[in-house]
Amino acid sequence: PYLFDFDDNVEPIRDLDKLEIFREILVSEKLLSLQYRNDVLGNYKGIVSAISNLKKEYISPEKFSAIIDSFEANLEEKSKKLEARRIEKLRDLQKFYIRYLQLMQEKNLIDFDDMIYKVTDAFAKNDDLVKFFQEQYLYTLVDEFQDTNNAQLEVIKAVSSFAGIDSNIFAVGDDDQTIFRFQGASSDNFEKF
């Protein structure tokens, strides 16, 4: 538990609590571009989905900011005017993401996507933790590999690679059966694997 940014009494967030946190952020931060026709929570499902996708792709707020900067920098001048609204929404979403993570930590809550994201992050920051699990599990079997998202793929890579020694990993999957795209699954993970 000391490797994570919450204490032992962390609780999974309930839907009603998430709704209240979203309302609080949208009102206090005045993120009008994320609202729908002056309805503070009119775009609630869209924002929930966007935050969830960022976590599934293992994209931190800092990395998200860099992605937005790159997107904006690569636009041609005439496209910048057309894309100004989208860039504003992306920047507001990034502000929302930062504040959401802060409030979740303050309230000692996690959402479903945090369960993988935080493990992935802990593995990225702590070699000893990775080595602990590598020594515990000498063989890795991944079933339905086509349904993995990027965060899950990072966990698989961390656990199955051991000090430069060939991995003892076996993955089963069919890229024609990628059915969990809504959960971040991607047949591109076959190529990454």
Side-chain angles (χ1 to χ4, degrees), residues 5 25 51 55 59-61 96-106 109 111 114 117-118:
D5 57 358
I25 296 169
I51 296 300
K55 289 181 180 183
I59 297 174
S60 67
F96 183 96
Y97 189 22
I98 290 169
R99 187 66 185 129
Y100 177 68
L101 294 177
Q102 289 170 344
L103 286 174
M104 293 288 283
Q105 186 173 352
E106 288 171 17
L109 297 169
D111 61 25
D114 285 330
Y117 184 91
K118 290 192 179 288

Side-chain angles (χ1 to χ4, degrees), residues 95-183:
K95 291 175 193 170
F96 183 96
Y97 189 22
I98 290 169
R99 187 66 185 129
Y100 177 68
L101 294 177
Q102 289 170 344
L103 286 174
M104 293 288 283
Q105 186 173 352
E106 288 171 17
K107 296 174 185 285
N108 205 33
L109 297 169
I110 59 171
D111 61 25
F112 180 76
D113 298 310
D114 285 330
M115 294 177 191
I116 296 292
Y117 184 91
K118 290 192 179 288
V119 169
T120 307
D121 201 43
F123 278 179
K125 294 176 180 173
N126 190 315
D127 286 339
D128 289 337
L129 179 66
V130 174
K131 288 175 185 168
F132 172 80
F133 282 99
Q134 288 172 337
E135 290 174 3
Q136 294 292 313
Y137 304 103
L138 300 178
Y139 303 95
T140 306
L141 168 65
V142 182
D143 194 13
E144 302 294 341
F145 185 80
Q146 74 274 2
D147 295 331
T148 58
N149 60 43
N150 282 348
Q152 292 167 331
L153 184 61
E154 290 300 315
V155 170
I156 293 166
K157 287 191 321 191
V159 171
S160 64
S161 62
F162 188 72
I165 299 171
D166 289 337
S167 302
N168 288 319
I169 183 167
F170 186 83
V172 178
D174 181 352
D175 61 346
D176 288 333
Q177 293 185 12
T178 302
I179 58 172
F180 290 106
R181 187 64 203 147
F182 66 91
Q183 290 183 340

